[in-house]
Amino acid sequence: MKVAIIGGTGRAGTEISAELARRGHQVTAISRHPENAVKVDGVTAVAGDVQQADALVETIKGHDVVVSAVMFSDTDPASLVGVVRDSGVPRYLVVGGAGSLEVAPGVALITTPDFPEVAKVEAGKGADFLDYLRGVDDIDWTFLSPSAYFFVGVRKGSFRLGKDALLVDADGNSSISYADYAIALVDEIEQPRHSKARFTVGY
């Protein structure tokens, strides 16, 4: 498949690019700093900016899937979804956030007392993005939330999937490496199971 990644040189975008290339897909890694793209066969780095919608539409046309791995604070859902819609690309996957996951029925992680103040703006924007997507019915979208601790680490190849509830291990920890997150996202690209839905991944 041909997959375009908006934000292809960030921590998530880099791991997703590498995982896709590992499985033989063609990747277009789009970012403001294409020189930072992962240097592996199958990945083509292209300059692009979410603030330049018309140019971005042209860049992603002809791909089978678009992945957005950009900070929610750097864009807005109407603009980014509009880019995907105008490009004609049939599938859209979003690297989500953990803040909107539930720690109890109706209780989002972002509302808990220990949620870091420094992360609240980005997490709130991520929750707003998901709310917007849930009203979109003309695009086949998927929103994949990581666990609370999203870190650079080893590629274990084993993890659990969930829906809207925060995943925690036996010790009460909630975590996933970028590398294992990338496996879960590429699995979803290859074998879609969460059309027009959010799901989550964690250890």
Side-chain angles (χ1 to χ4, degrees):
M1 279 186 280
K2 293 179 65 178
V3 182
I5 304 178
I6 304 168
T9 61
R11 285 175 293 187
T14 296
E15 291 289 353
I16 295 163
S17 295
E19 185 65 29
L20 283 162
R22 185 180 288 117
R23 302 193 198 185
H25 299 290
Q26 294 177 274
V27 181
T28 303
I30 305 165
S31 77
R32 289 174 291 184
H33 298 285
E35 68 276 7
N36 294 332
V38 62
K39 308 297 194 295
V40 297
D41 290 343
V43 177
T44 301
V46 175
D49 191 326
V50 291
Q51 305 301 327
Q52 298 174 349
D54 291 345
L56 197 54
V57 168
E58 294 303 314
T59 300
I60 66 177
K61 276 183 179 178
H63 289 80
D64 300 299
V65 180
V66 174
V67 176
S68 64
V70 295
M71 296 285 287
F72 295 112
S73 299
D74 290 341
T75 186
D76 69 87
S79 175
L80 207 41
V81 169
V83 165
V84 176
R85 182 180 288 117
D86 292 345
S87 74
V89 178
R91 292 194 63 210
Y92 178 43
L93 287 88
V94 178
V95 175
S100 57
L101 291 167
E102 295 184 340
V103 296
V107 180
L109 177 63
I110 191 175
T111 66
T112 59
D114 293 334
F115 193 85
E117 191 68 32
V118 68
K120 281 187 176 179
V121 171
E122 177 67 11
K125 295 273 190 181
D128 291 344
F129 203 106
L130 177 59
D131 285 344
Y132 184 89
L133 281 176
R134 284 173 166 158
V136 174
D137 60 7
D138 63 331
I139 292 174
D140 185 8
W141 61 267
T142 299
F143 188 101
L144 176 53
S145 288
S147 289
Y149 180 41
F150 200 12
F151 66 98
V152 176
V154 297
R155 183 180 185 271
K156 295 181 180 179
S158 60
F159 45 77
R160 295 178 295 146
L161 300 180
K163 292 295 181 75
D164 291 310
L166 183 74
L167 294 174
V168 296
D169 63 18
D171 297 320
N173 299 313
S174 176
S175 65
I176 190 70
S177 71
Y178 285 96
D180 285 327
Y181 176 96
I183 295 174
L185 188 135
V186 177
D187 286 348
E188 179 68 20
I189 288 174
E190 292 183 336
Q191 297 184 321
R193 295 186 176 93
H194 301 90
S195 178
K196 297 181 183 176
R198 184 260 291 279
F199 73 112
T200 188
V201 57
Y203 294 130

